[in-house]
């Protein structure tokens, strides 16, 4: 499958990994939008949030909990943002779901 994040999972493309277990992988974003910008992805290929099934709810929770633990581990308990973009109108550019964890600057709302 020609998927960038599957290639990172497979080790075919390098990434600055922060955490890995049998279900998820977390690594630094290549074009950070904040001083700390981490992506948390499932190892299993899921193209968009619309493709999540009921069987994936534990995995989705694990992605969120991984982001929370990384935020704590990286000293960001004061505040952080998690975002998941879905499809082109939602700003998605890589079609393998990922949670953005951004921190260490003041976040504003709306994000634009
Ligand atoms: P999206 O726009 O799909 O929500 O987010 C995709 C993210 O993947 C972007 O923030 C982009 O900078 C990041 N990204 C794209 N290509 C690579 C890559 O090869 N390595 C890493 N680490 N991040 C990437
Ligand atoms: Zn993939």
């Amino acid at each position: 499958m020609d998927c960038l994040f599957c290639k990172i999972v497979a080790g075919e493309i390098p990434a600055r990994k922060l955490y890995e277990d049998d279900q998820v992988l977390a690594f630094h974003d290549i074009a950070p939008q904040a001083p700390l910008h981490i992506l948390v992805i499932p190892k299993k290929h899921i193209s968009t949030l619309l493709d999540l099934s009921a069987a994936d709810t534990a995995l989705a929770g694990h992605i969120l909990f991984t982001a929370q633990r990384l935020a704590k581990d990286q000293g960001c308990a004061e505040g952080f943002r998690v975002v998941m973009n879905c499809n082109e109108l939602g700003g998605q550019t890589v079609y393998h779901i990922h949670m953005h964890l951004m921190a260490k600057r003041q976040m504003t709302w709306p994000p634009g």
Side-chain angles (χ1 to χ4, degrees), residues 47-102:
S47 296
T48 80
L49 268 184
L50 290 167
D51 300 303
L52 267 189
S53 72
D56 296 319
T57 55
L59 177 60
H62 188 51
I63 290 168
L64 180 61
F65 191 61
T66 299
Q68 182 251 51
R69 273 191 296 112
L70 284 165
K72 285 184 179 174
D73 291 350
Q74 297 288 321
C76 303
E78 187 184 2
F80 58 89
R81 174 172 288 169
V82 292
V83 174
M84 293 184 84
N85 299 323
C86 183
N87 270 341
E88 191 177 350
L89 197 60
Q92 185 173 6
T93 58
V94 177
Y95 283 78
H96 177 133
I97 61 167
H98 47 279
M99 181 170 284
H100 297 260
L101 166 63
M102 288 166 285

Side-chain angles (χ1 to χ4, degrees), residues 3 6 45 96:
C3 168
C6 281
H45 181 85
H96 177 133

